[in-house]
Amino acid sequence: MEKRTISFSPPDISELEIAEVAEALRSGWITTGPRTKMLECRLAAYMETGKTDIDCTTAEAIKKYSQRVVCLNSATAAEELNLRILGVGPGDEVIVPAYTYTASASAAIHCGATVKFVDIQPNGDPITHMPEMNYEALEQAIGPKTKAIVTVDLGGIVCDYDRIYSIVERKRGLFTPLNDHSNPLADLGSRIQAGLGRVAVVADCAHSLGASRVVEHTGKGKMEKKRRYCGSIADFTDFSFHAVKNFTTAEGGASTWCLPESVYEQGVTDAEIYKFYQLLSLHGQNKDALAKSKVGAWEYDIIGPWYKCNMTDIMAAIGLRQLDRYLGLLARREQMMKRYDETCDELGISHMIHHVPGMDSSNHLYLIRVPGIDVEERNLIIEKMAEAGVSTNVHYKPLPMMTAYGGDCSEYPNAYDYYQNLITLPFHTLLSDEDVEYVCETLEDVVNEVRS
Ligand SMILES: Cc1ncc(COP(=O)(O)O)c(C=O)c1O
């Protein structure tokens, strides 16, 4: 086969996104404004129903879906604000899987909390092979200081939330809610924690917009087994719209929440939660630029010395048109994935399984593990693939191996084993069928060469 150049994950931007960005630029409103609000409403409708075509201009849709999702400038900011709204701070512990990207853990550290890592299951989940937390270890790790568990739906595969919720329910006895009513933000966090009465489930869904799973337990606490989309499962969820993600706004992300009735019984309302995301993401200023632009409405107050991580309408313009195309993009990913699955199965290479009864992934990352090779051989495969024009990657080097987290993985042997023979194949919707064939053939040649 003739040599091709296959990049790892370029953004799939069509003329539709380009035209909408141009419209936004011409509209006279380029920072957070009507397009961001529309994207928030449409994303909420998508997370609730799985549909991307709900008309968010109708009074009914606005009532149901607006102020339920907050668009921000990254998933990292979204997770940090989720934890801040929840009242996580110094003295608290947040449990994070050892096998994830730094943002899952650093957001908790930004809030002043301590991160406790939990190893993954040996070789990941037995069915999907996703590097999912070892749930026995998770249960043991929960202590009196634990305020949240960050679950990571890695590659788009949805964790076993029924199991996670039953663990946090069993550990209710250890949980002491924050009791600080000295300022409005701490008061909100205290009421949310009192209403939860247990460790919160804070999902890192950076990869998993549109993924779904049949679950019984959800943040909402209804014991009803049904398919739910990421964003409607955990107590709090963050998403990433970074350039390499399935759904992009160049940089960007979003937060949402799905809380049990017992939280609302504490006097918490969705409008109050939404207002605090706005305040936290915009300097603590009680009027955004759009509200201030109304005649005579210049005056504002600063409620807290907070952060700056809002989404602009230029970013939202990209997102609106990406959302129109998103179900098609997911379907194309699933189609390409079948070809990769066939090749890996023929070569005896283990891969994550993105679709199983009751769980459909967002098909974000294609992780493979070549049996019997060590780190040097894995790196050699990566080099040889690159020489043949195929960019690959590694998701991830376990966090405890990183300097910032101590540089020692010895307490997380399953995470290390998973990492040492792992390669992420290029996987995106700009790949043609011929490109996919080329990746498969190159993989076969290189793996056979390194194995021989
Ligand atoms: C698992 C995971 N969480 C969080 C993030 C952070 O996303 P963002 O770059 O939007 O902050 C990433 C980014 O790649 C990620 O892979």
Side-chain angles (χ1 to χ4, degrees):
M1 235 182 167
E2 203 175 307
K3 185 173 175 185
R4 287 173 177 248
T5 302
I6 311 286
S7 47
F8 183 72
S9 188
D12 183 337
I13 298 294
S14 74
E15 289 305 318
L16 295 169
E17 285 89 339
I18 293 169
E20 190 68 40
V21 167
E23 271 298 301
L25 288 169
R26 287 194 195 98
S27 74
W29 198 268
I30 58 176
T31 184
T32 312
R35 283 183 169 78
T36 307
K37 301 296 162 195
M38 178 58 72
L39 183 60
E40 289 178 346
C41 194
R42 288 188 56 199
L43 284 169
Y46 179 39
M47 288 167 202
E48 199 64 37
T49 65
K51 293 186 185 151
T52 53
D53 58 356
I54 289 178
D55 178 2
C56 277
T57 60
T58 67
E60 192 195 349
I62 291 170
K63 184 160 177 264
K64 204 160 170 194
Y65 301 120
S66 67
Q67 306 204 339
R68 297 289 297 115
V69 165
V70 183
C71 283
L72 296 162
N73 70 1
S74 70
T76 312
E79 186 185 316
E80 181 176 329
L81 296 202
N82 288 349
L83 293 168
R84 289 191 186 278
I85 296 267
L86 176 63
V88 170
D92 294 334
E93 263 173 22
V94 174
I95 297 178
V96 177
Y99 207 95
T100 182
Y101 186 60
T102 180
S104 314
S106 62
I109 295 168
H110 299 168
C111 298
T114 303
V115 164
K116 202 178 213 183
F117 288 121
V118 163
D119 203 1
I120 61 166
Q121 299 167 37
N123 297 311
D125 177 82
I127 298 169
T128 63
H129 307 157
M130 195 266 262
E132 207 163 324
M133 266 187 275
N134 176 330
Y135 291 123
E136 282 92 41
L138 169 65
E139 186 149 4
Q140 278 167 17
I142 295 176
K145 291 183 179 170
T146 312
K147 282 289 162 69
I149 298 167
V150 175
T151 54
V152 183
D153 294 343
L154 201 144
I157 293 178
V158 187
C159 296
D160 187 349
Y161 284 94
D162 279 347
R163 184 112 191 244
I164 294 160
Y165 274 108
S166 38
I167 292 170
V168 294
E169 287 295 339
R170 275 202 293 281
K171 291 282 180 170
R172 269 181 183 272
L174 285 180
F175 185 77
T176 309
L178 177 69
N179 187 13
D180 177 357
H181 303 278
S182 62
N183 65 72
L185 180 61
D187 174 62
L188 174 62
S190 298
R191 284 180 290 133
I192 292 175
Q193 290 192 20
L196 285 176
R198 57 158 170 75
V199 170
V201 179
V202 178
D204 179 345
C205 290
H207 302 173
S208 54
L209 180 69
S212 63
R213 182 163 180 143
V214 176
V215 288
E216 189 162 19
H217 297 250
T218 72
K220 279 190 177 141
K222 280 189 207 139
M223 295 291 279
E224 179 193 8
K225 218 168 177 69
K226 66 174 205 177
R227 181 171 293 274
R228 287 178 178 267
Y229 292 84
C230 288
S232 298
I233 301 177
D235 296 315
F236 290 88
T237 302
D238 68 80
F239 295 94
S240 176
F241 308 149
H242 178 270
V244 299
K245 301 298 189 285
N246 288 8
F247 174 97
T248 188
T249 57
E251 293 285 348
S255 277
T256 190
W257 59 96
C258 176
L259 298 164
E261 263 324 299
S262 50
V263 171
Y264 297 101
E265 283 161 11
Q266 300 286 325
V268 174
T269 64
D270 287 334
E272 181 185 16
I273 295 177
Y274 184 82
K275 185 183 86 181
F276 271 93
Y277 279 102
Q278 300 303 297
L279 288 167
L280 285 167
S281 64
L282 210 84
H283 303 293
Q285 184 174 303
N286 69 349
K287 276 184 196 166
D288 65 16
L290 198 61
K292 276 174 64 193
S293 71
K294 303 269 152 47
V295 180
W298 69 269
E299 195 169 357
Y300 59 89
D301 191 15
I302 299 293
I303 309 296
W306 293 329
Y307 316 99
K308 184 65 168 66
C309 49
N310 53 315
M311 177 178 276
T312 70
D313 264 21
I314 298 174
M315 296 154 83
I318 306 174
L320 286 170
R321 300 290 75 87
Q322 286 264 295
L323 197 51
D324 294 345
R325 300 171 57 222
Y326 195 54
L327 296 182
L329 296 176
L330 289 183
R332 170 65 184 150
R333 284 178 170 270
E334 192 173 341
Q335 192 187 34
M336 292 186 300
M337 192 167 258
K338 289 191 175 129
R339 184 68 193 96
Y340 277 180
D341 286 354
E342 270 168 27
T343 301
C344 291
D345 292 343
E346 275 163 24
L347 292 172
I349 292 175
S350 155
H351 56 86
M352 294 208 304
I353 298 178
H354 286 257
H355 298 273
V356 295
M359 196 283 299
D360 286 294
S361 151
S362 60
N363 313 322
H364 178 52
L365 292 175
Y366 200 88
L367 268 52
I368 65 169
R369 294 178 65 223
V370 183
I373 61 165
D374 59 18
V375 170
E376 281 72 39
E377 288 162 318
R378 186 271 310 276
N379 292 346
L380 189 62
I381 295 176
I382 289 177
E383 254 171 59
K384 287 186 179 289
M385 298 277 288
E387 281 161 16
V390 179
S391 302
T392 58
N393 214 322
V394 173
H395 291 84
Y396 294 97
K397 188 168 169 182
L399 284 186
M401 288 177 77
M402 303 290 188
T403 307
Y405 298 103
D408 176 9
C409 206
S410 54
E411 286 180 38
Y412 312 94
N414 298 336
Y416 185 80
D417 281 354
Y418 197 95
Y419 147 83
Q420 66 170 346
N421 60 350
L422 181 127
I423 301 168
T424 316
L425 295 184
F427 194 60
H428 55 83
T429 42
L430 296 187
L431 291 174
S432 64
D433 288 347
E434 292 72 27
D435 291 333
V436 172
E437 284 311 313
Y438 184 74
V439 174
C440 291
E441 285 184 20
T442 309
L443 180 69
E444 181 170 355
D445 291 349
V446 170
V447 167
N448 287 338
E449 188 188 333
V450 171
R451 272 174 169 168
S452 63

